[in-house]
Amino acid sequence: MRSSGAFLLVALLAGCHTRGGAVLSVVTGAAGTGADAGPLDGTAGQGGQTGQDGEAVDVGPMETGGTGGTTVATTFYIAPDGSDGNPGTSPGAPWRTFAHALPVLQPGSTLVLLDGTYTSGTTGLLQVFCGMNAVNGTTSQPITVRALNERRAFIAGDGTGPPVELSACANWVVDGLHAEGTDVPNEVGDEPGSVVVITRCTNVLLRRVLAAHPNRYLTASAFVIAHGVANVTVEECEALGFHYYGFHAYDTQHATFRRDYAHSRDTADVAGGQATAFPTRGDGGFLLTKSSNGIIENCIAEDVADGFTIRASRTVQGGRVQPQRDQLLGDIALGVSHAGFVLDSQCNTTKPCTQGDQIVSDALLSNVVSRGGVLGVSVQGGVNNNVANASVFDATDTGVSFSLDAENVGLQSSAYVRASAVTGPGTTYGFRSQSQFAWGVSACNAFAVAQPFVPKDGHVTSPTEVDPKFGACLVVVPEGSPLKTLGPAGGGGLGANVVYRYEDGQLTDAKLWDQTSGQFPCGAAIAGINDNTLADLSCIGVHSRLHVGTMGCPIP
């Protein structure tokens, strides 16, 4: 089973019990976004919880049913000024080190991080190696590590390894932490230089974690999910200040990125460090490499070269992952310098190119938005890749491009786009296909474009070139737009309407944007990191840059 909102609820309820008929209330998605956001357990102070009717409920050791009998699910506490000689069962007497705390945790346990800075020299870093210093949770009783106050538990990396790492673990939850790396030559370890690393794990949830400043001496990312990972969900997390990628999943099955935000903050390569493809800013927001059934849903990438990328492996690694069936759903690429969305096979000049590891196949891009850059959507070789209901704004070269780069010439590439809109001005090509074995453009609109459809032959059906009358609106097709009624009957018109949330690839009836402020579902703001003083570079202000609730565009 893929982890989901239901898994999150089970995780946060693990170990909770009733007293006098009151059920503990759990905050699952409405935590505050300001710097004064309260405790994750919904209390006004440390350590307590509130019942459904508001009365105080004491939380201590409690028995819950588990697989194979009764287990004890206990809440423990840790703090930079704690002591491992303390009992660790109350916020007033927390433990000090992860080395002491992690081996104690059992299925259903929760480790609460009090406010403060956690370093390798004081508490150690949060490096969890199941089978060595920790055990697995269960599906009904995951092990949870969370901040008492969202993002006020800060894990500061120093080049001795990832600040947050889980390896070979099953059924863990990491919630509400803040972690940063630093630029140090010769960092070692698994996925060295990255900030949050999940490897060889199954059924793991990362929620509302803020990660920044991966090590620029390496090709490191803020979040890395890699090496045989299955069923890992990264939800409402924030990646800032990276020179490579914000979020990267490699060699994974059923990895899900949901309502996450990435902003590179024009972080350049460092002198003497690892050179990247785009040395003056982050290479990309989100990257799936050799992925199977991955989902990136309702995510935003900003101030990067490429917003969202699905890339195959250039080196044949002995496995056939084709068809991959990755999905990008309801995603937004804003202020990109190269491309909003990239699908890139890596045939490495192999002819014919038939190895599944090297081919991006059966990907779906649906209900996506790209603004800026050279290309809106770029499919650089692949098999049976589909784009539907895309809105592309202000691409300087091509809105939707099907091509074959030099290393993919031996590939019988196929790609299709439907019900999509490309809007200039200044765009050279609206929809362009080159060197494809099979392709199609159906019911698409190009406006203020020098060459709307190239070539315009039998592969292009029901094309239009009307003024969409978007005004300033980017994430929805506004009322009154002629695109509302174009396209196949009952098809919902042309272009993207990013209004509702996706969950595990399915569109729900829950609104994505806050219906009062228009804000994207960001995590807590931390002063000097992502608060209102840095709103132009953070999740907290992205709705304004997308004109949600402003410039004549109602909150969708």
Side-chain angles (χ1 to χ4, degrees):
M1 292 289 291
R2 183 192 304 276
S3 54
S4 64
F7 175 75
L8 171 62
L9 184 59
V10 169
L12 294 180
L13 285 173
C16 293
H17 72 304
T18 61
R19 178 172 295 178
V23 180
L24 293 182
S25 62
V26 178
V27 178
T28 60
T33 57
D36 59 347
L40 293 182
D41 58 12
T43 70
Q46 294 183 342
Q49 291 189 348
T50 55
Q52 189 177 43
D53 56 3
E55 90 268 21
V57 178
D58 179 40
V59 177
M62 57 199 88
E63 290 191 345
T64 59
T67 303
T70 300
T71 62
V72 175
T74 305
T75 298
F76 301 103
Y77 297 84
I78 186 171
D81 60 353
S83 170
D84 289 344
N86 287 335
T89 53
S90 73
W95 292 325
R96 180 178 175 86
T97 69
F98 289 112
H100 178 82
L102 292 174
V104 177
L105 304 180
Q106 297 296 312
S109 294
T110 296
L111 179 64
V112 179
L113 278 62
L114 303 187
D115 296 0
T117 300
Y118 296 73
T119 69
S120 62
T122 55
T123 61
L125 305 178
L126 180 57
Q127 297 177 341
V128 184
F129 304 101
C130 291
M132 298 176 65
N133 67 347
V135 301
N136 292 325
T138 67
T139 54
S140 62
Q141 294 192 84
I143 297 172
T144 299
V145 178
R146 64 175 176 85
L148 176 67
N149 295 291
E150 188 172 285
R151 296 179 174 173
R152 294 187 190 175
F154 171 42
I155 304 180
D158 58 4
T160 58
V164 177
E165 180 175 9
L166 271 68
S167 180
C169 294
N171 304 303
W172 277 66
V173 177
V174 178
D175 195 349
L177 305 185
H178 168 203
E180 297 189 23
T182 190
D183 296 328
V184 177
N186 304 317
E187 181 174 339
V188 298
D190 202 357
E191 298 298 328
S194 296
V195 181
V196 178
V197 174
I198 309 296
T199 60
R200 304 172 185 87
C201 292
T202 58
N203 297 332
V204 169
L205 172 66
L206 298 179
R207 182 177 180 273
R208 292 202 161 212
V209 175
L210 187 156
H213 305 304
N215 191 343
R216 291 182 293 168
Y217 282 94
L218 303 163
T219 49
S221 300
F223 292 83
V224 172
I225 315 297
H227 307 308
V229 159
N231 301 323
V232 169
T233 297
V234 182
E235 180 178 274
E236 294 182 8
C237 293
E238 196 166 346
L240 300 174
F242 49 88
H243 78 137
Y244 187 50
Y245 279 86
F247 299 86
H248 185 190
Y250 175 80
D251 188 21
T252 61
Q253 297 183 37
H254 300 290
T256 299
F257 295 100
R258 177 184 301 137
R259 299 189 297 275
D260 298 314
Y261 175 81
H263 195 301
S264 81
R265 294 184 169 179
D266 285 329
T267 300
D269 293 351
V270 65
Q274 181 64 52
T276 61
F278 299 91
T280 61
R281 58 166 46 187
D283 277 16
F286 295 80
L287 172 61
L288 300 179
T289 305
K290 197 183 174 188
S291 168
S292 174
N293 294 289
I295 298 176
I296 306 178
E297 51 192 10
N298 291 136
C299 292
I300 298 177
E302 188 173 13
D303 188 53
V304 290
D306 294 328
F308 298 82
T309 301
I310 302 174
R311 180 171 293 142
S313 171
R314 181 169 280 114
T315 303
V316 175
Q317 301 187 18
R320 287 191 62 85
V321 296
Q322 187 182 2
Q324 293 167 298
R325 299 193 181 95
D326 291 328
Q327 300 181 76
L328 309 184
L329 308 172
D331 297 314
I332 301 170
L334 179 63
V336 296
S337 61
H338 178 246
F341 297 84
V342 178
L343 275 59
D344 187 14
S345 293
Q346 303 271 283
C347 290
N348 200 20
T349 68
T350 301
K351 296 181 182 180
C353 182
T354 58
Q355 174 63 37
D357 287 353
Q358 297 179 296
I359 301 170
V360 175
S361 65
D362 296 271
L364 172 62
L365 281 64
S366 180
N367 212 23
V368 297
V369 176
S370 176
R371 187 181 193 190
V374 179
L375 307 164
V377 176
S378 175
V379 181
Q380 300 171 187
V383 173
N384 194 35
N385 293 312
N386 287 269
V387 181
N389 291 95
S391 290
V392 176
F393 300 91
D394 305 327
T396 58
D397 187 271
T398 307
V400 177
S401 170
F402 300 154
S403 66
L404 276 181
D405 52 16
E407 71 169 307
N408 292 326
V409 170
L411 176 63
Q412 289 189 340
S413 184
S414 55
Y416 308 89
V417 57
R418 65 183 185 275
S420 296
V422 175
T423 303
T427 303
T428 302
Y429 303 99
F431 299 83
R432 190 184 191 194
S433 177
Q434 303 174 85
S435 305
Q436 297 297 294
F437 179 77
W439 64 281
V441 177
S442 174
C444 291
N445 187 74
F447 178 72
V449 174
Q451 299 183 59
F453 300 92
V454 178
K456 193 174 183 179
D457 59 15
H459 294 89
V460 180
T461 59
S462 304
T464 55
E465 301 175 31
V466 302
D467 183 351
K469 298 183 179 179
F470 281 125
C473 302
L474 299 174
V475 302
V476 294
V477 179
E479 295 299 326
S481 168
L483 300 193
K484 286 282 192 182
T485 57
L486 291 176
L494 311 187
N497 287 283
V498 185
V499 177
Y500 297 100
R501 297 185 178 199
Y502 287 88
E503 294 282 342
D504 294 326
Q506 300 298 315
L507 192 63
T508 73
D509 59 2
K511 289 291 187 75
L512 175 63
W513 312 93
D514 185 278
Q515 294 299 288
T516 300
S517 67
Q519 192 174 57
F520 188 70
C522 308
I526 302 301
I529 303 295
N530 63 338
D531 63 348
N532 282 326
T533 65
L534 292 166
D536 289 346
L537 306 172
S538 305
C539 181
I540 196 171
V542 71
H543 66 292
S544 296
R545 296 186 290 281
L546 290 168
H547 309 157
V548 174
T550 65
M551 300 181 68
C553 302
I555 298 171

